[in-house]
Amino acid sequence: MLAEGFNEVIRDTIAELPDWVRSALQQVDIIVQDAPGVEASEALGDAPAEELLGLYLGTPLPERSFETTGELSDVIFIYREPHLALALPDASLKREVAKTLLHEIAHHFGFDDDELTAAGWG
């Protein structure tokens, strides 16, 4: 899948979200990168980042308070090369990219990995 096709999946997934979710994402930057970079290494510490499909950096909505006012925008990173390395057919790859994006959006709403795994979004 070419970069533009990958970006199109991201745009289409966002467009299909309910208005209230898109509204809550107005202050979230969604960045597509070829591979995890420094941001992933800093967030994961010693854990390997090469296979990471996405990453949410920020303060989840339920944890916000007046003390978090003025912090930088939250960021969702979606990584293209690890997705492509899955070697999925196009339709499956599109579903996986959308699933990764929705997983990272769920972190913004306060869901942790254990909750997402239990719900089938791990």
Side-chain angles (χ1 to χ4, degrees):
M1 177 184 295
L2 298 175
E4 184 52 39
F6 198 90
N7 293 340
E8 185 177 335
V9 173
I10 300 294
R11 284 191 302 270
D12 291 348
T13 301
I14 293 169
E16 293 174 8
L17 294 171
D19 290 341
W20 66 270
V21 175
R22 285 196 317 271
S23 177
L25 293 174
Q26 288 182 356
Q27 299 300 317
V28 178
D29 294 324
I30 299 174
I31 299 172
V32 176
Q33 289 183 333
D34 282 338
V38 174
E39 75 287 335
S41 298
E42 290 175 356
L44 298 176
D46 293 335
E50 297 82 32
E51 297 177 11
L52 190 64
L53 300 176
L55 178 66
Y56 167 76
L57 296 177
T59 303
L61 291 176
E63 297 176 18
R64 303 252 170 131
S65 71
F66 70 92
E67 294 172 351
T68 59
T69 302
E71 289 184 358
L72 295 176
S73 296
D74 292 6
V75 181
I76 292 174
F77 292 93
I78 304 295
Y79 303 114
R80 189 171 162 272
E81 290 174 1
H83 278 93
L84 297 178
L86 297 172
L88 297 171
D90 273 357
S92 297
L93 179 58
K94 288 178 182 180
R95 283 191 298 275
E96 188 62 36
V97 171
K99 179 180 175 182
T100 300
L101 177 59
L102 294 173
H103 176 103
E104 302 309 330
I105 289 171
H107 285 316
H108 178 64
F109 283 95
F111 292 93
D112 65 27
D113 283 327
D114 291 338
E115 292 169 314
L116 292 170
T117 298
W121 289 90

